Amino acid sequence: MELDEALQDAYQYGCQFTDQGVVADYIPELAKEDPHRVGAAAIGPDDRLFTMGDAEYKFSAQSIAKIMIYLGVLENYDLSYVRKFIGVTPSSKPFNSILELELSHHKVPVNPFINAGAIVATSLLMEKYRSNTFEMIRKRAREIIGNDHLDYSHSLYLSESNSAFANRALTYMLLNDGIIQSDVNVEDLLSAYFRACSLMVNSIDLARLGAVLAHEGKGPDGKQLIRKEHAATIRTVMATCGTYDYAGDFALLVGIPAKSGVGGGFVASTKNGYGFGVYCPGLDSHGNSYVGVRILQKLSQNLNLSIY
Ligand code: GLU
């Protein structure tokens, strides 16, 4: 099937499920989103872009920003050092689980895509970039996505910051267990993390991110935007940990490296040069866009993209 036809079919299929998901409300600003809004964008190996629905609608990246945060860490530290503080094991509990952290080996977050792992990753960046940590994450996001206007939403940031009791609890546990340096200022650290989660993107931006990862880190003009080995590491962790404790089901259903966010976004990156960005804010019980999973499932089937 051609990419435009595959995307249209997947979009129509996914739109049948807009009643099934539940919009996140633990961050009050997210609860305002319309569960019937669907956007999808696909970039093929030849770099042609196709879109369906509200592909230009902006929403907060949320957990998808963890890709940028982890990339920053990979670009500043050896992976062997990073692994002392953040694992690469799929999580078995929800993305903000205190129990998962409490039970993990040496109290090290199991992976960089659950909240505890991303908070540790942000703390590693703060050791290098101090008060410029968020600005560094935003700069890299702009370069990789190729959108100089990409920025965070202050209202979303405040909404998350004012309601982030679970993330504060995780951060204090990480401090208590020495996984985060004791001299870090918790509010500065969380401010950088929440701003990154509040970066506003649309489905096209996410398809571009997916395409860069799929092209071994190269942008549309062939420029190396991400080192090849870092793109491979990120795709691998997306495949194993990108959909939280749903990763096994997602591997069976879709079989493409992908990362979801509780804002309703999804980025996916295939082995053979496709990048997908999908949005619909209704979530499944694991925090993944319900419609997003179905659109990606259909795209994977239509184009025979499962890596397994
Ligand atoms: N900002 C969100 C949080 O920390 C990200 C979670 C997600 O998208 O899974 O709760």
Short mmCIF file of all heavy atoms in Angstrom, two decimals, residues 26-27 30 61-64 66 95-96 113-115 119 160 164 167 193-194 197-198 244 259-264 286-287, ligand 1:
data_model
loop_
_atom_site.label_atom_id
_atom_site.label_comp_id
_atom_site.label_asym_id
_atom_site.label_seq_id
_atom_site.Cartn_x
_atom_site.Cartn_y
_atom_site.Cartn_z
N TYR A 26 -5.07 14.33 35.87
CA TYR A 26 -4.23 14.57 37.06
C TYR A 26 -3.38 15.83 36.88
O TYR A 26 -2.90 16.41 37.84
CB TYR A 26 -3.39 13.33 37.40
CG TYR A 26 -2.18 13.11 36.51
CD1 TYR A 26 -0.92 13.52 36.91
CD2 TYR A 26 -2.31 12.49 35.26
CE1 TYR A 26 0.18 13.32 36.10
CE2 TYR A 26 -1.22 12.28 34.46
CZ TYR A 26 0.03 12.70 34.88
OH TYR A 26 1.11 12.50 34.07
N ILE A 27 -3.23 16.26 35.61
CA ILE A 27 -2.71 17.61 35.33
C ILE A 27 -3.94 18.38 34.83
O ILE A 27 -4.45 18.10 33.73
CB ILE A 27 -1.61 17.57 34.24
CG1 ILE A 27 -0.42 16.72 34.72
CG2 ILE A 27 -1.17 18.98 33.88
CD1 ILE A 27 0.67 16.48 33.68
N LEU A 30 -4.71 19.40 31.17
CA LEU A 30 -4.89 18.35 30.15
C LEU A 30 -6.36 17.95 30.02
O LEU A 30 -6.81 17.54 28.95
CB LEU A 30 -4.06 17.10 30.51
CG LEU A 30 -2.55 17.21 30.40
CD1 LEU A 30 -1.90 15.87 30.76
CD2 LEU A 30 -2.12 17.62 28.99
N ALA A 61 3.96 17.72 24.80
CA ALA A 61 4.70 16.48 24.51
C ALA A 61 4.64 15.50 25.68
O ALA A 61 4.62 14.29 25.48
CB ALA A 61 6.15 16.82 24.21
N GLN A 62 4.59 16.02 26.90
CA GLN A 62 4.63 15.17 28.10
C GLN A 62 5.78 14.15 28.00
O GLN A 62 6.88 14.53 27.72
CB GLN A 62 3.26 14.53 28.37
CG GLN A 62 2.17 15.56 28.62
CD GLN A 62 2.43 16.44 29.84
OE1 GLN A 62 3.12 16.07 30.76
NE2 GLN A 62 1.88 17.65 29.82
N SER A 63 5.47 12.89 28.14
CA SER A 63 6.55 11.90 28.21
C SER A 63 7.39 11.83 26.94
O SER A 63 8.50 11.29 26.99
CB SER A 63 5.97 10.51 28.47
OG SER A 63 6.27 10.08 29.76
N ILE A 64 6.87 12.33 25.84
CA ILE A 64 7.67 12.27 24.60
C ILE A 64 8.93 13.13 24.76
O ILE A 64 9.98 12.85 24.17
CB ILE A 64 6.81 12.68 23.39
CG1 ILE A 64 5.67 11.67 23.24
CG2 ILE A 64 7.63 12.77 22.11
CD1 ILE A 64 4.58 12.09 22.28
N LYS A 66 10.77 13.06 27.15
CA LYS A 66 11.80 12.24 27.81
C LYS A 66 12.82 11.73 26.79
O LYS A 66 13.95 11.39 27.15
CB LYS A 66 11.15 11.06 28.56
CG LYS A 66 10.33 11.53 29.77
CD LYS A 66 9.49 10.40 30.37
CE LYS A 66 8.61 10.91 31.50
NZ LYS A 66 7.59 9.92 31.92
N PHE A 95 3.57 4.56 35.05
CA PHE A 95 4.73 5.41 34.76
C PHE A 95 5.19 6.28 35.94
O PHE A 95 6.30 6.78 35.94
CB PHE A 95 4.45 6.30 33.55
CG PHE A 95 3.27 7.22 33.74
CD1 PHE A 95 3.42 8.46 34.34
CD2 PHE A 95 2.01 6.84 33.32
CE1 PHE A 95 2.33 9.30 34.53
CE2 PHE A 95 0.91 7.68 33.50
CZ PHE A 95 1.07 8.91 34.11
N ASN A 96 4.30 6.48 36.94
CA ASN A 96 4.70 7.32 38.08
C ASN A 96 4.70 6.51 39.38
O ASN A 96 4.54 7.05 40.46
CB ASN A 96 3.77 8.53 38.20
CG ASN A 96 2.32 8.10 38.33
OD1 ASN A 96 2.02 6.91 38.35
ND2 ASN A 96 1.43 9.06 38.43
N PHE A 113 12.18 6.38 30.56
CA PHE A 113 10.89 6.85 30.04
C PHE A 113 9.77 6.79 31.08
O PHE A 113 8.64 7.16 30.80
CB PHE A 113 10.52 6.07 28.78
CG PHE A 113 11.41 6.40 27.59
CD1 PHE A 113 11.43 5.56 26.48
CD2 PHE A 113 12.20 7.53 27.57
CE1 PHE A 113 12.24 5.85 25.38
CE2 PHE A 113 13.01 7.83 26.48
CZ PHE A 113 13.03 6.99 25.38
N ILE A 114 10.07 6.25 32.26
CA ILE A 114 9.12 6.43 33.37
C ILE A 114 9.52 7.74 34.07
O ILE A 114 10.64 8.23 33.91
CB ILE A 114 9.12 5.24 34.36
CG1 ILE A 114 10.53 4.97 34.89
CG2 ILE A 114 8.53 4.00 33.71
CD1 ILE A 114 10.57 4.03 36.09
N ASN A 115 8.63 8.26 34.88
CA ASN A 115 8.91 9.58 35.47
C ASN A 115 10.19 9.59 36.29
O ASN A 115 11.01 10.51 36.16
CB ASN A 115 7.74 10.03 36.33
CG ASN A 115 6.54 10.41 35.48
OD1 ASN A 115 6.55 10.22 34.27
ND2 ASN A 115 5.50 10.93 36.12
N ILE A 119 13.35 12.04 35.64
CA ILE A 119 13.76 13.03 36.65
C ILE A 119 15.25 12.86 36.96
O ILE A 119 15.99 13.84 37.05
CB ILE A 119 12.86 12.90 37.91
CG1 ILE A 119 11.44 13.38 37.57
CG2 ILE A 119 13.43 13.70 39.08
CD1 ILE A 119 10.39 13.04 38.62
N GLU A 160 0.89 21.58 35.84
CA GLU A 160 1.58 20.35 36.29
C GLU A 160 2.35 20.60 37.59
O GLU A 160 2.27 19.80 38.53
CB GLU A 160 2.54 19.83 35.20
CG GLU A 160 3.31 18.62 35.72
CD GLU A 160 3.92 17.72 34.66
OE1 GLU A 160 3.94 18.11 33.49
OE2 GLU A 160 4.37 16.63 35.04
N ALA A 164 1.86 18.29 41.08
CA ALA A 164 2.81 17.17 40.88
C ALA A 164 3.24 16.52 42.19
O ALA A 164 4.44 16.41 42.49
CB ALA A 164 4.03 17.68 40.13
N ASN A 167 5.24 13.22 41.54
CA ASN A 167 6.60 13.45 41.04
C ASN A 167 7.50 14.02 42.14
O ASN A 167 8.70 13.71 42.19
CB ASN A 167 6.58 14.38 39.83
CG ASN A 167 6.15 13.63 38.57
OD1 ASN A 167 6.40 12.45 38.45
ND2 ASN A 167 5.50 14.32 37.65
N TYR A 193 12.14 19.79 34.32
CA TYR A 193 11.42 18.60 33.84
C TYR A 193 10.00 18.96 33.37
O TYR A 193 9.57 18.57 32.28
CB TYR A 193 11.40 17.54 34.95
CG TYR A 193 10.48 16.38 34.68
CD1 TYR A 193 10.76 15.47 33.66
CD2 TYR A 193 9.30 16.21 35.41
CE1 TYR A 193 9.89 14.42 33.39
CE2 TYR A 193 8.44 15.16 35.15
CZ TYR A 193 8.73 14.27 34.14
OH TYR A 193 7.87 13.23 33.86
N PHE A 194 9.28 19.75 34.18
CA PHE A 194 7.90 20.09 33.81
C PHE A 194 7.86 20.97 32.56
O PHE A 194 6.95 20.87 31.75
CB PHE A 194 7.18 20.82 34.96
CG PHE A 194 7.03 20.00 36.21
CD1 PHE A 194 7.06 20.60 37.46
CD2 PHE A 194 6.84 18.62 36.15
CE1 PHE A 194 6.92 19.86 38.63
CE2 PHE A 194 6.70 17.86 37.32
CZ PHE A 194 6.75 18.49 38.55
N CYS A 197 8.21 18.74 29.67
CA CYS A 197 6.95 18.00 29.42
C CYS A 197 5.89 18.91 28.79
O CYS A 197 4.99 18.43 28.10
CB CYS A 197 6.41 17.42 30.72
SG CYS A 197 7.40 16.07 31.38
N SER A 198 6.01 20.23 29.03
CA SER A 198 5.02 21.18 28.50
C SER A 198 5.38 21.71 27.12
O SER A 198 4.73 22.65 26.64
CB SER A 198 4.87 22.36 29.46
OG SER A 198 4.59 21.92 30.76
N TYR A 244 5.33 2.32 28.43
CA TYR A 244 5.21 1.98 29.85
C TYR A 244 4.98 0.47 30.04
O TYR A 244 5.58 -0.33 29.33
CB TYR A 244 4.07 2.79 30.52
CG TYR A 244 4.01 4.24 30.13
CD1 TYR A 244 2.95 4.76 29.40
CD2 TYR A 244 5.02 5.12 30.52
CE1 TYR A 244 2.89 6.11 29.06
CE2 TYR A 244 4.96 6.47 30.19
CZ TYR A 244 3.90 6.94 29.46
OH TYR A 244 3.83 8.26 29.12
N LYS A 259 7.03 6.13 21.29
CA LYS A 259 6.96 6.72 22.64
C LYS A 259 5.66 7.51 22.73
O LYS A 259 5.34 8.31 21.85
CB LYS A 259 8.15 7.66 22.88
CG LYS A 259 8.14 8.35 24.23
CD LYS A 259 8.56 7.41 25.34
CE LYS A 259 8.06 7.86 26.71
NZ LYS A 259 6.73 7.32 27.05
N SER A 260 4.95 7.26 23.81
CA SER A 260 3.69 7.98 24.02
C SER A 260 3.86 9.02 25.12
O SER A 260 4.85 9.01 25.85
CB SER A 260 2.61 6.98 24.45
OG SER A 260 3.02 6.37 25.67
N GLY A 261 2.88 9.91 25.21
CA GLY A 261 2.85 10.88 26.31
C GLY A 261 1.41 11.03 26.79
O GLY A 261 0.48 10.82 25.99
N VAL A 262 1.23 11.39 28.07
CA VAL A 262 -0.13 11.49 28.59
C VAL A 262 -0.91 12.67 28.00
O VAL A 262 -2.10 12.80 28.23
CB VAL A 262 -0.19 11.53 30.13
CG1 VAL A 262 0.27 10.23 30.74
CG2 VAL A 262 0.58 12.72 30.68
N GLY A 263 -0.23 13.52 27.21
CA GLY A 263 -0.93 14.57 26.48
C GLY A 263 -1.72 14.01 25.31
O GLY A 263 -2.52 14.72 24.69
N GLY A 264 -1.49 12.74 24.96
CA GLY A 264 -2.21 12.10 23.86
C GLY A 264 -1.37 11.92 22.61
O GLY A 264 -1.84 11.40 21.60
N HIS A 286 -3.00 2.58 30.70
CA HIS A 286 -1.55 2.66 30.92
C HIS A 286 -1.00 4.06 30.63
O HIS A 286 0.19 4.31 30.85
CB HIS A 286 -0.82 1.66 30.03
CG HIS A 286 -1.32 0.25 30.20
ND1 HIS A 286 -0.84 -0.60 31.15
CD2 HIS A 286 -2.30 -0.42 29.54
CE1 HIS A 286 -1.48 -1.76 31.08
NE2 HIS A 286 -2.38 -1.67 30.11
N GLY A 287 -1.84 4.92 30.07
CA GLY A 287 -1.38 6.28 29.77
C GLY A 287 -0.99 6.49 28.31
O GLY A 287 -0.35 7.48 27.98
N1 GLU B 1 4.56 15.22 32.72
C1 GLU B 1 4.00 13.94 32.95
C2 GLU B 1 4.26 13.50 34.37
O1 GLU B 1 5.31 13.68 34.86
C3 GLU B 1 4.56 12.98 31.96
C4 GLU B 1 3.98 11.62 32.12
C5 GLU B 1 3.69 10.95 30.80
O2 GLU B 1 3.47 11.54 29.77
O3 GLU B 1 3.67 9.73 30.88
O4 GLU B 1 3.39 12.96 35.00
#
